Amino acid sequence: MGNFTLDTSEPLVLFNKTSRWNPFSMVPGGAAADVVAEGQDNRRNVLSEMDLFSTRNHSHNRVVVKKENFLGNDLDLNTGLNLVTMVSNRSKMGDDISTTGEDQTIDKLKDIQNELERMNIENQRLREMCLQVSNNYNALQTHFVTLMHQQEQEMRNENIQNLDQNANDHLSHDQVSVAVPRQFMELRQSTHDHLISRDSSSEEKTIDRDTKTIAREDTPDSDVWTSNKVPKLVVPENIEHTNDPTMRKVRVSVRARSEAPMISDGCQWRKYGQKMAKGNPCPRAYYRCTMAVGCPVRKQVQRWADDQTILVTTYEGTHNHPLPPAAVAMASTTSAAATMLLSGSTSSVDGFMNSNLLAQAIRPPNIATISASAPFPTITLDLTHPPNSTPIFEGYNNPAASQFAMPLQAFHQGGSGAMVYNQSRFSGLHLSNNELSNQVLQYQQTAPPQHHQSQPHASFGHSLSAATAAITADPNFTAALAAAITSIMGGNGSTISPKNEENNNREMG
DNA sequence: CGCCTTTGACCGGCGC
DNA sequence: GCGCCGGTCAAAGGCG
């Protein structure tokens, strides 16, 4: 696998149907072996392409020589350095070479030509596939960004309207989502009047932050993301850029069955602590996002006490920087869940999810736990009940596959479990199964569709899902293609780097 | 050298 | 006030 060189940038000259490949006519005037060996790039590339389909492990630099040996051995012709002389002599001597030998040679050459033509066709087909996948990826990315932009625009308009018209109104059910965190945190101790005043200030903050968000896209800060570490990043416009400490109090917990010590979510994390938590024999690891200086996002990773095959990842906070495409899915998921938790209203969930035609297709119940008994309001997405047996994010060696499959899997229905809804101290929330499901399905519509295309099918479907996810997640198309091929070929691996795996295995047991 | 993990110390909230 | 607990800090060391 690692030896593949898939160069589709140039037409394959010698494979071209219009130019028949003839080893004796490769170099007009003779000296075929010498000239080829000294390297005409086109020809060398062509021969390298041949190796792509060969079962033999050729080195690129030696291919030409091997070809020569091939002719020499199989056709019983001396094609060594004296090839010029041989060819020349043959043309002079004419009948010295037996006609049966020539026939055999011609037959074998024809076979080789046929083989090459088949390879050429196959190569063309692969190129078309690559092109199509690339186009699909670009189209989906554009669509996704467009939807996110629309959603942000809607939210901004809603904020402005509320600010203009409802400055002195009572809190309404459809309060702007970002205004809710403080509102929620103060519920138990604030009077109605307090809520009104706080809400107004929150709304002002919201608009102010929106302005900052827009400004940030044009600031030199974004230049950070032109580094070669992350070739291309997407500003998650649905994700609020805020350092508001109240937002950090909301947590989104993702529970997933995985042997991997840590689920790769596309972000860069630095571990800053580890503690033994009460009631759990497995240590809890603390990570902070290191993709930008001052990013407030934290996450905790811990195996579940009741079932240590289940990994619980708890996110807290909102990224204050653009995210790589691979991280957008998870960040969007957690952000939407957090906002949903805080707003308790479909109309205020970031414009993320409005009503949709698929709502009736929901096969409840989902798994999402909202807990107010924890120190901080927490919504838990339980991904341990995959719709079709094996969780998608396990068993694929490309992190990108898990990055995308994991959040999406939470939203695949198929009777995946029950939505546990605990409102104990949550009088302010209303969140029905239907609402969550509506939002969830809307998210599905905004996500690259190939993910759920793959769901109904078994192994190949999963492979395809992993492949398409990898391609979608990886801005480097070549790398993504390699990952995709690996996935299709059934590679195994972890969702994290070997180093991390080793370390985390030691830690997490 | 930069980035990461490790790990003991420290801090603040909470219950008794 | 004290102890427990969750969360964070920061120095030390490892790694590529």
Side-chain angles (χ1 to χ4, degrees):
Chain A
M1 180 59 202
N3 294 330
F4 278 14
T5 300
L6 186 58
D7 181 4
T8 60
S9 58
E10 293 293 333
L12 306 182
V13 177
L14 293 180
F15 288 179
N16 195 314
K17 295 172 186 175
T18 60
S19 71
R20 294 166 62 86
W21 180 55
N22 185 340
F24 296 107
S25 64
M26 280 178 73
V27 182
D34 288 340
V35 174
V36 171
E38 284 172 12
Q40 294 224 353
D41 289 343
N42 284 346
R43 295 189 181 109
R44 203 181 295 172
N45 283 344
V46 166
L47 294 168
S48 297
E49 291 286 347
M50 287 175 66
D51 273 359
L52 172 65
F53 303 98
S54 170
T55 57
R56 291 156 58 180
N57 225 359
H58 292 163
S59 163
H60 287 187
N61 292 335
R62 308 301 300 167
V63 168
V64 173
V65 177
K66 286 176 183 293
K67 176 183 72 66
E68 199 174 70
N69 291 340
F70 165 75
L71 291 173
N73 293 338
D74 289 3
L75 305 182
D76 198 21
L77 291 174
N78 181 3
T79 59
L81 294 177
N82 294 327
L83 181 64
V84 180
T85 306
M86 293 293 293
V87 174
S88 177
N89 288 343
R90 192 184 62 169
S91 64
K92 287 177 181 175
M93 296 190 304
D95 293 334
D96 287 352
I97 299 175
S98 70
T99 54
T100 56
E102 273 192 5
D103 289 341
Q104 287 178 354
T105 303
I106 290 171
D107 288 342
K108 294 208 174 191
L109 286 176
K110 282 182 179 176
D111 289 342
I112 292 171
Q113 284 175 357
N114 290 336
E115 184 75 7
L116 291 175
E117 283 185 1
R118 282 197 297 107
M119 290 177 178
N120 187 31
I121 293 170
E122 179 73 9
N123 195 39
Q124 291 290 342
R125 204 166 58 83
L126 285 171
R127 289 182 61 187
E128 288 172 6
M129 282 176 61
C130 291
L131 196 63
Q132 189 173 0
V133 170
S134 178
N135 288 339
N136 286 344
Y137 165 61
N138 289 333
L140 287 168
Q141 189 179 39
T142 302
H143 185 58
F144 184 77
V145 170
T146 302
L147 286 171
M148 290 303 167
H149 191 75
Q150 287 175 358
Q151 145 202 320
E152 168 134 328
Q153 192 65 41
E154 288 174 7
M155 191 175 73
R156 198 172 299 141
N157 292 339
E158 191 178 350
N159 288 350
I160 293 171
Q161 285 178 2
N162 284 342
L163 184 65
D164 289 342
Q165 298 173 7
N166 301 323
N168 295 319
D169 286 357
H170 293 197
L171 288 173
S172 67
H173 173 72
D174 287 335
Q175 203 63 48
V176 177
S177 61
V178 242
V180 180
R182 191 183 299 271
Q183 160 194 341
F184 167 72
M185 300 303 291
E186 303 289 339
L187 255 183
R188 283 179 291 175
Q189 57 188 4
S190 298
T191 63
H192 194 240
D193 289 338
H194 278 113
L195 285 171
I196 294 171
S197 61
R198 287 180 183 278
D199 186 57
S200 297
S201 61
S202 295
E203 285 177 344
E204 290 172 7
K205 275 188 173 181
T206 299
I207 294 171
D208 184 41
R209 193 181 58 240
D210 283 343
T211 308
K212 288 177 183 173
T213 302
I214 297 168
R216 183 182 293 109
E217 294 173 8
D218 296 327
T219 58
D221 288 350
S222 54
D223 292 343
V224 171
W225 308 113
T226 60
S227 72
N228 48 8
K229 265 191 176 180
V230 182
K232 186 178 180 181
L233 295 107
V234 174
V235 178
E237 297 183 61
N238 60 304
I239 297 171
E240 297 148 8
H241 302 266
T242 176
N243 289 328
D244 187 347
T246 58
M247 277 303 285
R248 269 203 56 210
K249 298 301 179 185
V250 184
R251 292 179 176 176
V252 178
S253 185
V254 177
R255 195 184 301 167
R257 194 179 300 277
S258 173
E259 297 301 320
M262 189 170 79
I263 292 171
S264 175
D265 48 25
C267 284
Q268 289 179 317
W269 301 95
R270 178 179 178 179
K271 189 176 183 179
Y272 66 89
Q274 176 171 313
K275 294 281 283 189
M276 293 299 299
K278 190 181 178 183
N280 192 333
C282 301
R284 176 184 299 162
Y286 299 90
Y287 297 86
R288 68 162 53 96
C289 177
T290 60
M291 296 195 75
V293 177
C295 179
V297 176
R298 304 275 199 274
K299 80 170 179 181
Q300 302 173 6
V301 179
Q302 185 178 33
R303 295 214 167 267
W304 197 26
D306 295 347
D307 183 353
Q308 295 187 11
T309 65
I310 294 176
L311 201 61
V312 181
T313 306
T314 303
Y315 295 88
E316 180 182 313
T318 306
H319 295 282
N320 66 349
H321 53 83
L323 292 170
V328 169
M330 174 58 88
S332 300
T333 302
T334 55
S335 177
T339 309
M340 181 172 61
L341 168 64
L342 289 168
S343 68
S345 165
T346 54
S347 62
S348 58
V349 183
D350 279 348
F352 213 25
M353 309 133 177
N354 299 318
S355 63
N356 66 80
L357 298 175
L358 297 178
Q360 298 305 317
I362 295 166
R363 293 171 183 81
N366 257 331
I367 288 190
T369 308
I370 298 176
S371 170
S373 58
F376 309 109
T378 303
I379 182 167
T380 300
L381 305 177
D382 192 334
L383 313 185
T384 60
H385 301 267
N388 289 326
S389 66
T390 310
I392 296 173
F393 49 90
E394 288 185 345
Y396 292 98
N397 62 344
N398 192 317
S402 65
Q403 289 156 9
F404 268 77
M406 206 270 290
L408 285 169
Q409 189 187 21
F411 299 143
H412 282 298
Q413 309 302 312
S416 61
M419 173 172 174
V420 185
Y421 187 38
N422 174 9
Q423 261 190 305
S424 53
R425 288 191 285 168
F426 254 79
S427 59
L429 280 175
H430 354 191
L431 184 65
S432 67
N433 290 3
N434 238 5
E435 284 170 336
L436 176 63
S437 301
N438 284 350
Q439 295 162 356
V440 153
L441 282 172
Q442 185 69 29
Y443 179 85
Q444 278 187 314
Q445 289 181 324
T446 63
Q450 58 261 48
H451 297 303
H452 31 102
Q453 279 176 359
S454 67
Q455 278 303 297
H457 308 292
S459 59
F460 179 75
H462 283 179
S463 296
L464 186 62
S465 172
T468 52
I471 291 170
T472 308
D474 197 331
N476 184 331
F477 181 69
T478 304
L481 180 62
I485 293 172
T486 304
S487 298
I488 290 174
M489 287 181 169
N492 291 319
S494 166
T495 57
I496 63 168
S497 66
K499 180 187 170 189
N500 282 346
E501 185 177 21
E502 182 184 346
N503 290 335
N504 287 292
N505 276 336
R506 199 184 322 133
E507 297 159 17
M508 310 297 291

